Amino acid sequence: MIKITVFGSGSSGNGYLLDDGRSQLIIEAGVRFNRVQNKMQHDFSRLDGVLISHEHRDHCKYVRPFIDFTGADVYATKGTVEAMFEDPMLKLKYTSGYRFQFLTYKVSQKIGPWYVTAFETKHDVKEPCGFLIDHESGDRLVFITDSYYVKYKFPNVTHMMVEANYDREIMERSMTDGYKKKLKTRIMESHFDFDNALKFIDANKSNKLKEIYLIHLSDANSNAEQFREKVQALTGVPVYIA
């Protein structure tokens, strides 16, 4: 069974580890590398790949150390890779370009015992994606973050990692001045609110579902315990807040 470890989740930095006991994948490189090192006890020998959903820094800021200090390749869409190389803060070198592997929407890529399929998401960046990750054991994980809409359904999912960024009613009460109104519009046009997350989970739940992680919650605009209780009541499986 896949074991999920959360390094961090939210606007301060995102990073997650999938581990089957023999092989590992990391999703997102937005958490300080030394924190990831400590969580992994400085052992990257089983790490087969690093997946990046899009180029915002809270998802890819520390991709350079993964290139410099691990043997794992980085997997992302071509648009995301191009945008990361254009960001001077990431300090990526074109000489290390061979360490980046392009993912294409709806085309499966084998990475060790994992089969990773990128799918289109809706965010204010170049070529964002979510991930459908199939393991040769039969486990199937769907990962969605930073998207206001997902048009796909996924059968036989065993694990979900789904953004539940904000509650509309809470955000309407908390974001009322000029700047916050502009920010509210940007969030609504680029992130999954809890109602949409709940609808997605309901549409994709099955009798194979084992657990759900709610990710990328806004501290100011969400209610973590309420979100957890509602999803658990809907699905009857363990629900964790990242």
Side-chain angles (χ1 to χ4, degrees), residues 61-101:
K61 184 177 180 180
Y62 298 98
V63 68
R64 171 73 184 271
F66 282 101
I67 294 295
D68 291 343
F69 302 117
T70 82
D73 283 352
V74 176
Y75 296 80
T77 64
K78 183 179 180 181
T80 295
V81 173
E82 290 174 348
M84 287 193 293
F85 272 96
E86 291 167 2
D87 185 344
M89 186 176 180
L90 300 185
K91 299 180 181 178
L92 294 174
K93 299 177 182 178
Y94 281 95
T95 54
S96 63
Y98 72 96
R99 296 286 302 281
F100 290 83
Q101 307 295 328

Side-chain angles (χ1 to χ4, degrees), residues 52-234:
I52 306 293
S53 66
H54 65 286
E55 67 266 26
H56 281 160
R57 289 174 185 166
D58 58 325
H59 296 262
C60 71
K61 184 177 180 180
Y62 298 98
V63 68
R64 171 73 184 271
F66 282 101
I67 294 295
D68 291 343
F69 302 117
T70 82
D73 283 352
V74 176
Y75 296 80
T77 64
K78 183 179 180 181
T80 295
V81 173
E82 290 174 348
M84 287 193 293
F85 272 96
E86 291 167 2
D87 185 344
M89 186 176 180
L90 300 185
K91 299 180 181 178
L92 294 174
K93 299 177 182 178
Y94 281 95
T95 54
S96 63
Y98 72 96
R99 296 286 302 281
F100 290 83
Q101 307 295 328
F102 294 155
L103 296 175
T104 301
Y105 290 153
K106 297 193 287 186
V107 176
S108 182
Q109 170 74 55
K110 189 176 189 302
I111 308 172
W114 316 85
Y115 295 83
V116 177
T117 307
F119 57 87
E120 182 183 4
T121 54
K122 301 294 185 180
H123 197 47
D124 54 352
V125 289
K126 195 168 183 179
E127 195 181 2
C129 70
F131 302 111
L132 180 66
I133 302 174
D134 287 290
H135 190 269
E136 59 186 19
S137 66
D139 281 338
R140 165 172 274 201
L141 181 147
V142 63
F143 176 91
I144 297 166
T145 190
D146 292 58
S147 182
Y148 65 86
Y149 175 69
V150 177
K151 62 183 178 181
Y152 302 106
K153 288 182 66 176
F154 305 94
N156 302 317
V157 170
T158 59
H159 300 71
M160 291 188 192
M161 301 179 72
V162 180
E163 178 182 50
N165 187 259
Y166 65 95
D167 177 271
R168 286 177 179 267
E169 291 185 5
I170 295 174
M171 192 164 66
E172 289 291 347
R173 293 195 301 268
S174 66
M175 306 184 80
T176 55
D177 63 29
Y179 167 75
K180 288 185 176 180
K181 283 183 178 179
K182 292 181 180 179
L183 179 60
K184 178 176 71 174
T185 299
R186 188 255 164 186
I187 290 172
M188 292 175 68
E189 292 176 349
S190 59
H191 286 274
F192 230 16
D193 75 296
F194 179 63
D195 285 344
N196 280 333
L198 202 62
K199 290 174 184 176
F200 175 85
I201 292 167
D202 190 30
N204 288 276
K205 69 180 190 291
S206 74
N207 58 9
K208 293 187 177 182
L209 187 61
K210 298 175 182 177
E211 61 181 8
I212 297 171
Y213 281 75
L214 300 179
I215 64 176
H216 212 304
L217 274 68
S218 164
D219 288 340
N221 298 306
S222 65
N223 184 324
E225 186 57 27
Q226 184 182 79
F227 287 6
R228 188 192 66 78
E229 289 177 356
K230 286 187 176 181
V231 174
Q232 195 156 311
L234 174 67

